[in-house]
Amino acid sequence: MTEKNLTPVAWPSDGIAFGGDYNPEQWSAETVREDMKLMREAGVNLVTLGVFSWVVYEPTEGRFDFSWLDGMLDLLHENGIRVDLGTPTAAVPMWLHRLHPEILPQDTLGHPLAPGGRLGFCPSSPIYRRFALRVVERLAEHVAGHPAIAMWHISNELGGGNARCHCPVSTEHFQRWVQRKYGSIEAVNAAWGMTFWGNSYSSFEEIVTPGGITAHNPGHLLDFERFSSDALLEQYRAERQVLKRHTPALPVTTNFMVGMGPDVVDYTRWAPEMDIVANDHYTYGLDPLRHQDIAFSGDRMRGMSDGGPWMLMEHAASAPSWHPINLAKKPGELTRHAFAHLARGSNSVMYFQWRASKSGTEQFHSAMLPHAGSDTRAFASIQQLGSQLARLGALTDTIVTGAQVAFLHDNEAGWALRSGLKPINNPPYAATARALHNALFEKNVTVDVVAPWAPLHGYALVVVPGLFLASDETAQAVTDYAKAGGTVLITWFSGIVDPSNTVRTGGYPGAFRELLGARGEEFVPLAEGTSVTLDNGWRAERWSELVHADSADVIARYADGDLAGFPAITRRTLPSGGAAWYLSTDLVGDGLREFTEHLLADAGVRSVCATSAGVEAVRRASDTTSYLFLINHGEAEGWAEASGTDLLTGTRHESRVTVPAGGVAVVQEV
Ligand code: GAL
């Protein structure tokens, strides 16, 4: 396992942070007074304030008034509630749109977004930047030293709507970015392979953002994704610099939207810029594996915080409102989801939002306090959760332990995959990762989802799941790991291109071919609804590949289809005792489950503990104490082999903990 660090910054709450986005500007003074009472009753200790309040602070250009904020900060402070203060720059005031319509981002056809909504700015616009930094400066200097403020929250979900801008200002910024990266136009032509279709440039001024209606070059597309992420990161950094000048001790973050990926911006490369990494995570009610989606994103967040604690900044108390049909959470799901995030290393349970809005775009999004008020089962569940969290203060001294498996995940690989035409177009990046992660999730094997450049020593198994783009450094790190005795699994369509999105020739997967001792010469994708069977009975879909096992053992062969008789799964034993597995197809069902069992046995990976089916088990520990999170996602009573005292009920369990159907337990282990 890698070195795990506790966060070096002051955590914004005592104990687990509990609360959510608070938008009191939408409500009367009387309602706000009621909010304070109900927040205290629910045990709320942190709220995110002011995220969309630019026009409240600066109602007309250059006229600032922070009296509303002063009142709110004092009131929250009197009520013992700390504040994660937003910079309001996601909410461009309408007066600014009127004064400077040119700050609106433009789509691929050059159409500006409509004013209103949010994030209505081009990330490269110097005009927007000037206005945004002015309000941040005035805000920071005004509130510096206020005891209620525990941290800063820059903007909101940067890139959520404005991540790719094609306006003239962005085009010029992109040209400068490319010039800085490559130095000469010849280097750009070489890296992107512009000789194809005779697209070579003779000067940087000819480079445009890849928009319009045409098929663009994969290298060009990938660099535009990188540029777009960097342009937004510049905005984050500029705001952070202002905040650090006025309030150097306060942690600064912005809320990520980490799910399966690829992300809208490159969160993994942004993470080191955050004092605390924070995530907004929304489940999709129709996804039968939504609890595993929480686990996968939590394992990614932990990877981004080097194993230390991270913040769940937003999730939903029940249904969102952006799907065609928005399913309410099932009974008990609110609690299970909160505990599932905590189990993966979050030290907070925060929601969007505290009180359900009666107007505005998200008037039907669920909240901690629903439209119907406090005399509701929804609010009762929130109160119950608050009282449970209050018993878990000791958890903040612990981190998730016991991950013997690392999955390599990189947004650039996902962006490269969707940049240009592929044997299978639009395969979702990380689908393979998610399927394998689920197979391990079902066995209660804890996984760290980490960047390819994370240290790998100490893991018993490293999985490279559909990592389409792999740099030479990544190939070397994985190879060194296996040469040092580790077990590696490389799956199909990994290591196919280099960081320029150029195919590594000489046999697939170019980056890992030597390590695997196996070589693919041809991709043979499978039509939707069809499958192949392997000679051991396992079934696979989507993908197959003509592979030669030059110096690897064949574990299974294709038994039918066009590749009958060729290797499907290979394993090479390295002199060190390490092993390199290649999975050239997309196993499904029992085949995937059985394959995973073989792999775990080969690598010597153990479960957190034995449980009945449907019970999730994750361990968090300090140097002295360990706590076992048990979450029963099933509809029958479950169990886990463990001993200790349940912090939630005080019940002592000897050797076997029972977990009620749909229930949770946090066992302080003996
Ligand atoms: C998040 C966003 C919130 C709210 C929430 C619910 O993505 O940060 O402001 O919109 O979704 O839809």
Side-chain angles (χ1 to χ4, degrees):
M1 272 138 276
T2 53
E3 299 286 308
K4 307 292 183 189
N5 304 311
L6 287 173
T7 185
V9 295
W11 194 257
S13 59
D14 296 326
I16 304 287
F18 179 52
D21 278 31
Y22 184 38
N23 298 300
E25 61 268 55
Q26 297 172 11
W27 300 99
S28 68
E30 192 191 343
T31 305
V32 168
R33 271 194 302 279
E34 188 194 31
D35 285 337
M36 294 304 109
K37 174 175 155 287
L38 294 176
M39 281 186 191
R40 279 199 317 269
E41 281 177 25
V44 165
N45 57 16
L46 184 73
V47 293
T48 300
L49 187 72
V51 173
F52 302 109
S53 309
W54 188 341
V55 75
V56 179
Y57 306 149
E58 192 181 2
T60 55
E61 205 268 286
R63 190 169 66 77
F64 291 92
D65 177 1
F66 292 105
S67 48
W68 169 83
L69 178 64
D70 293 339
M72 278 316 309
L73 290 176
D74 291 346
L75 187 65
L76 286 160
H77 188 56
E78 280 160 25
N79 283 279
I81 298 162
R82 305 184 80 189
V83 173
D84 163 37
L85 189 61
T87 68
T89 50
V92 180
M94 288 301 195
W95 56 254
L96 181 50
H97 282 310
R98 178 172 47 81
L99 292 178
H100 290 287
E102 69 277 25
I103 68 170
L104 284 166
Q106 293 184 7
D107 70 9
T108 51
L109 297 176
H111 303 140
L113 237 66
R118 53 185 173 181
L119 293 162
F121 64 88
C122 155
S124 302
S125 164
I127 298 172
Y128 166 78
R129 181 79 49 88
R130 181 158 50 81
F131 280 94
L133 294 190
R134 184 173 71 172
V135 70
V136 172
E137 180 96 48
R138 295 295 291 264
L139 172 66
E141 102 196 330
H142 186 83
V143 300
H146 197 292
I149 304 174
M151 68 185 290
W152 284 107
H153 176 297
I154 288 181
S155 190
N156 191 65
E157 296 184 340
L158 281 161
N162 67 342
R164 313 278 179 269
C165 176
H166 298 265
C167 79
V169 175
S170 290
T171 302
E172 210 214 311
H173 193 194
F174 181 48
Q175 289 167 353
R176 278 184 275 126
W177 184 95
V178 174
Q179 184 158 18
R180 222 179 11 256
K181 176 165 180 179
Y182 291 102
S184 73
I185 199 66
E186 292 73 25
V188 181
N189 285 328
W192 294 354
M194 295 305 283
T195 48
F196 189 81
W197 282 354
N199 287 159
S200 302
Y201 302 108
S202 64
S203 88
F204 287 101
E205 287 69 48
E206 291 160 14
I207 298 176
V208 292
T209 62
I213 302 172
T214 187
H216 286 285
N217 172 297
H220 181 196
L221 286 162
L222 175 58
D223 268 336
F224 182 63
E225 305 267 24
R226 292 181 173 122
F227 155 77
S228 300
S229 179
D230 286 356
L232 279 159
L233 184 58
E234 276 181 29
Q235 176 66 29
Y236 171 82
R237 283 182 179 149
E239 292 194 31
R240 184 189 57 185
Q241 203 178 14
V242 174
L243 300 177
K244 289 289 182 189
R245 208 167 50 237
H246 293 284
T247 56
L250 287 181
V252 178
T253 193
T254 188
N255 43 346
F256 292 180
M257 297 178 278
V258 166
M260 204 164 101
D263 302 322
V264 67
V265 295
D266 198 342
Y267 294 127
T268 315
R269 287 173 179 81
W270 283 34
E273 313 257 351
M274 309 291 136
D275 292 320
I276 298 172
V277 287
N279 197 29
D280 296 351
H281 188 274
Y282 290 88
T283 49
Y284 177 41
L286 289 170
D287 175 5
L289 294 180
R290 54 195 180 278
H291 52 298
Q292 185 241 334
D293 190 42
I294 293 176
F296 187 82
S297 74
D299 290 345
R300 278 195 64 200
M301 289 307 294
R302 200 173 60 255
M304 290 191 214
S305 55
D306 296 330
W310 53 275
M311 268 187 102
L312 173 65
M313 187 61 92
E314 289 180 23
H315 73 313
S318 188
S321 56
W322 57 72
H323 300 300
I325 295 177
N326 295 280
L327 297 188
K329 288 197 175 172
K330 303 274 177 218
E333 208 167 8
L334 171 122
T335 310
R336 289 196 295 283
H337 284 187
F339 278 75
H341 288 288
L342 295 173
R344 303 278 154 178
S346 172
N347 274 1
S348 69
V349 176
M350 305 278 289
Y351 293 90
F352 176 85
Q353 59 180 330
W354 160 253
R355 183 186 277 274
S357 298
K358 56 184 179 181
S359 339
T361 314
E362 302 200 275
Q363 62 188 154
F364 291 107
H365 192 287
S366 61
M368 299 170 82
L369 182 61
H371 288 146
S374 57
D375 186 15
T376 49
R377 72 171 186 176
F379 190 64
S381 308
I382 286 289
Q383 282 179 303
Q384 192 202 9
L385 177 61
S387 67
Q388 289 176 320
L389 297 181
R391 275 172 242 153
L392 301 184
L395 257 300
T396 54
D397 293 330
T398 69
I399 52 176
V400 174
T401 57
Q404 295 177 281
V405 183
F407 274 40
L408 304 192
H409 185 284
D410 188 0
N411 291 306
E412 288 199 347
W415 288 342
L417 187 64
R418 72 176 182 206
S419 296
L421 309 172
K422 302 292 182 300
I424 300 181
N425 285 299
N426 302 323
Y429 173 58
T432 306
R434 172 103 190 250
L436 281 162
H437 184 275
N438 187 48
L440 300 194
F441 177 89
E442 285 178 354
K443 296 187 192 319
N444 287 314
V445 168
T446 308
V447 172
D448 286 342
V449 182
V450 299
W453 54 90
L456 300 179
H457 63 269
Y459 288 109
L461 173 66
V462 169
V463 179
V464 183
L467 190 76
F468 177 65
L469 177 155
S471 66
D472 293 349
E473 292 76 21
T474 300
Q476 193 59 50
V478 172
T479 303
D480 289 348
Y481 165 81
K483 280 188 176 161
T487 300
V488 173
L489 167 67
I490 313 281
T491 75
W492 60 278
F493 227 33
S494 290
I496 301 300
V497 297
D498 69 10
S500 301
N501 221 351
T502 300
V503 173
R504 295 175 176 277
T505 53
Y508 310 119
F512 303 110
R513 188 174 63 224
E514 269 181 49
L515 167 65
L516 292 170
R519 179 174 44 91
E521 66 169 79
E522 195 181 327
F523 302 136
V524 185
L526 304 172
E528 232 171 284
T530 66
S531 64
V532 283
T533 312
L534 310 193
D535 58 3
N536 57 9
W538 297 349
R539 214 169 52 77
E541 295 175 352
R542 275 213 291 180
W543 192 266
S544 62
E545 201 170 311
L546 198 172
V547 172
H548 302 281
D550 297 335
S551 54
D553 299 324
V554 178
I555 304 294
R557 292 179 185 274
Y558 293 102
D560 54 24
D562 297 342
L563 296 179
F566 282 101
I569 304 174
T570 64
R571 179 188 183 282
R572 175 176 165 229
T573 310
L574 283 91
S576 60
W581 289 74
Y582 186 51
L583 177 60
S584 76
T585 188
D586 199 20
L587 290 172
V588 294
D590 287 342
L592 178 61
R593 269 187 284 277
E594 284 173 31
F595 169 72
T596 312
E597 278 161 19
H598 281 274
L599 188 69
L600 294 177
D602 193 42
V605 173
R606 291 174 311 277
S607 303
V608 172
C609 68
T611 68
S612 56
V615 173
E616 175 182 354
V618 190
R619 184 168 282 118
R620 289 184 60 154
S622 65
D623 289 344
T624 54
T625 321
S626 76
Y627 300 91
L628 186 65
F629 275 76
L630 298 170
I631 306 164
N632 187 351
H633 299 285
E635 286 171 7
E637 183 178 274
W639 54 264
E641 278 178 15
S643 308
T645 306
D646 185 348
L647 294 186
L648 302 177
T649 59
T651 312
R652 216 187 132 67
H653 300 274
E654 302 294 343
S655 69
R656 193 177 174 94
V657 181
T658 50
V659 193
V664 297
V666 181
V667 178
Q668 181 172 352
E669 294 180 288
V670 177

